[in-house]
Amino acid sequence: FSIMMGTVQLVIMFMWADIFFDVDFFNIHNAIGVLIMSLLTSFACGSFALLLASLCRSRQQLNGISTILILIISAVGGSMVPTFFMPEFMQEIGNWTFNHWAIEGYQQVLWFAPANQGIPQLFMSLWQQYAILLGCGIVFFAMARFFVGRWNIR
């Protein structure tokens, strides 16, 4: 459910960008690239949320820890400030966050990919982003399954 909800939210954001900021979303090249990036990003984010939920013992603990971790990951990964404005050591740290790879993938699809590039070439240019997001999602989900059952529901 979280993957579906995240994908729908991301697609709605890109539709908004198409309507109001003239980002060319409605061609087959960009639509397929954005859809795959959205699915993998939602999988990584949803799995990370499940991992946090399985590690925490109460809702209050989850709220505090998740807020702090998500803000740190967003700041270091480039969601708040583009990574090219950051010092080199911060860029290296940002490479360890999954949202950095999601941003890189979206930029590749929407801005840096040549317009005449075919779908197979697009997939080949994004293999690293796809692999890292899929790997993060699998690792986070497996860890969440390992730690499940620690919730103290009140």
Side-chain angles (χ1 to χ4, degrees):
F1 176 77
S2 65
I3 295 170
M4 180 188 68
M5 183 61 70
T7 303
V8 169
Q9 289 173 342
L10 286 167
V11 168
I12 289 171
M13 280 190 337
F14 282 109
M15 288 172 58
W16 180 271
D18 180 65
I19 293 168
F20 292 100
F21 300 108
D22 201 29
V23 176
D24 189 19
F25 177 72
F26 289 110
N27 66 47
I28 193 72
H29 179 267
N30 288 352
I32 290 174
V34 166
L35 181 62
I36 292 172
M37 282 302 302
S38 297
L39 285 169
L40 291 172
T41 301
S42 297
F43 176 55
C45 291
S47 297
F48 184 66
L50 288 174
L51 174 61
L52 290 178
S54 67
L55 289 173
C56 295
R57 296 185 186 269
S58 67
R59 290 188 190 269
Q60 293 82 11
Q61 185 181 27
L62 176 62
N63 284 335
I65 290 173
S66 65
T67 299
I68 291 168
L69 282 177
I70 290 168
L71 284 174
I72 290 170
I73 289 171
S74 295
V76 173
S79 295
M80 296 179 180
V81 176
T83 54
F84 58 83
F85 287 129
M86 296 180 188
E88 187 67 32
F89 77 95
M90 289 294 290
Q91 291 178 19
E92 291 297 322
I93 295 170
N95 287 338
W96 289 90
T97 63
F98 60 88
N99 68 319
H100 166 79
W101 294 101
I103 292 168
E104 291 280 321
Y106 283 121
Q107 287 177 341
Q108 180 68 25
V109 169
L110 295 171
W111 286 279
F112 300 132
N116 59 355
Q117 184 179 33
I119 301 298
Q121 291 82 19
L122 178 67
F123 291 154
M124 292 306 295
S125 68
L126 291 168
W127 73 269
Q128 189 175 18
Q129 288 87 354
Y130 289 164
I132 289 173
L133 289 172
L134 182 63
C136 285
I138 290 170
V139 167
F140 293 153
F141 188 77
M143 290 173 66
R145 291 286 298 155
F146 179 76
F147 291 112
V148 75
R150 295 186 57 187
W151 261 96
N152 185 12
I153 300 175
R154 293 178 189 181

